[in-house]
Amino acid sequence: MPSVTPGIIQGGLEIVTIPCLSDNYAYLVKGPDGVCLIDAPEAGPIIDALEARGWTLGTILITHHHHDHVGGVEELRGRYGCEVMGPEAERDKLPPIDMGLSDGDTGGEGPARTVAIAVPGHTLGHLAYHFPEAGAVFTADSLMALGCGRVFEGTPPMMWESLSKLAALPPETLVCSGHEYTQSNARFALTIEPDNAALVARATEVDAARAAGRPTVPSTLAEELATNPFLRAGLPEMKATLDMQSAADADVFAEIRRRKDNF
Ligand SMILES: [Zn+2]
């Protein structure tokens, strides 16, 4: 077997980050009762990662219906006979799923126990998958490293509520998001909060990681709370920076999202 870089071991799970397509990430999660995959942008790199470790795939958890998150599902199902789960609300837009999941649905046991969290906004049925005992959440195109997904199907207040749910998880939670957009997210974030020292430091770290060819994910929720402008929309200092002192949190979020869409 070729040698492989071990994943992140946290709370009884091993998490392996797999770059796919031009800037997507899929994740393998190995627990005591098997291996699951969060999103399947394309099959090839996922099969390579499984084979290099001698693992077989038991379950695919889909976050949302966009092609760059489901394009590899059928090939992986054909090869491994794995079970495919995804948002019930997007069933008609997904490859065939064996089980539809909604907010609060749970699966697995011990460190592999996952809870689906509805995070509508980017798409209306988008789910995040939280592994509470292992302290990790797979957020795809909802909360991202230093950013958040574009609001395609929902509304800014809906996306703000979704991000607020994720922000309430324990701060040490690992945030495993779906794209390598962090460098451009950092450049944008610095236009909003140029004086945020934690952000300035993180942007330097992100540049160094990318220069070395390393992924900038996962991050921690604590890092996102300190540096991600979209999570900081409710803070008085953010409102003051944007001269929106009396605005509602969701309106501040909407303004930051509008600026990012035009960045
Ligand atoms: Zn998407």
Side-chain angles (χ1 to χ4, degrees):
M1 198 185 298
S3 68
V4 294
T5 313
I8 295 171
I9 313 273
Q10 171 143 323
L13 285 188
E14 181 174 358
I15 299 169
V16 176
T17 303
I18 308 173
C20 293
L21 303 173
S22 57
D23 55 32
N24 278 79
Y25 288 118
Y27 297 91
L28 290 173
V29 177
K30 184 172 190 296
D33 52 0
V35 178
C36 88
L37 171 72
I38 318 294
D39 281 343
E42 59 176 334
I46 294 165
I47 292 170
D48 290 347
L50 285 161
E51 303 227 317
R53 292 167 177 79
W55 294 354
T56 189
L57 187 59
T59 307
I60 301 175
L61 296 172
I62 299 170
T63 60
H64 67 294
H65 68 81
H66 286 158
H67 184 73
D68 62 324
H69 295 258
V70 302
V73 167
E74 286 309 317
E75 187 176 343
L76 292 166
R77 188 208 311 265
R79 187 180 183 101
Y80 297 104
C82 49
E83 191 173 21
V84 181
M85 304 183 192
E88 179 62 33
E90 297 186 355
R91 182 185 279 272
D92 60 346
K93 295 178 175 151
L94 296 173
I97 53 174
D98 302 299
M99 188 186 297
L101 301 173
S102 301
D103 188 49
D105 285 350
T106 59
E109 290 179 359
R113 187 173 81 90
T114 188
V115 184
I117 303 175
V119 287
H122 179 71
T123 68
L124 288 176
H126 198 308
L127 294 179
Y129 295 102
H130 183 213
F131 290 71
E133 292 181 44
V137 65
F138 296 84
T139 57
D141 297 358
S142 57
L143 175 61
M144 305 173 101
L146 280 173
C148 74
R150 221 174 235 262
V151 182
F152 285 125
E153 297 179 9
T155 63
M158 186 187 281
M159 184 63 129
W160 171 247
E161 193 184 325
S162 296
L163 295 183
S164 299
K165 283 198 232 177
L166 297 171
L169 297 175
E172 65 275 15
T173 303
L174 281 184
V175 177
C176 306
S177 52
H179 287 273
E180 184 56 67
Y181 294 160
T182 318
Q183 237 175 340
S184 79
N185 286 345
R187 282 197 293 275
F188 170 73
L190 285 166
T191 69
I192 301 287
E193 288 192 294
D195 300 327
N196 178 335
L199 171 60
V200 171
R202 188 176 177 193
T204 304
E205 286 168 21
V206 164
D207 286 342
R210 294 310 293 155
R214 290 197 310 272
T216 60
V217 296
S219 55
T220 65
L221 184 58
E223 283 180 277
E224 299 305 330
L225 290 167
T227 58
N228 185 325
F230 296 100
L231 285 190
R232 297 170 57 76
L235 297 177
E237 59 263 40
M238 176 62 85
K239 293 184 181 183
T241 298
L242 298 176
D243 201 16
M244 295 181 75
Q245 284 87 342
S246 54
D249 298 355
D251 291 337
V252 178
F253 168 79
E255 171 62 17
I256 299 170
R257 189 61 254 178
R258 187 190 66 73
R259 292 190 187 194
K260 177 68 164 65
D261 290 346
N262 295 314
F263 179 64

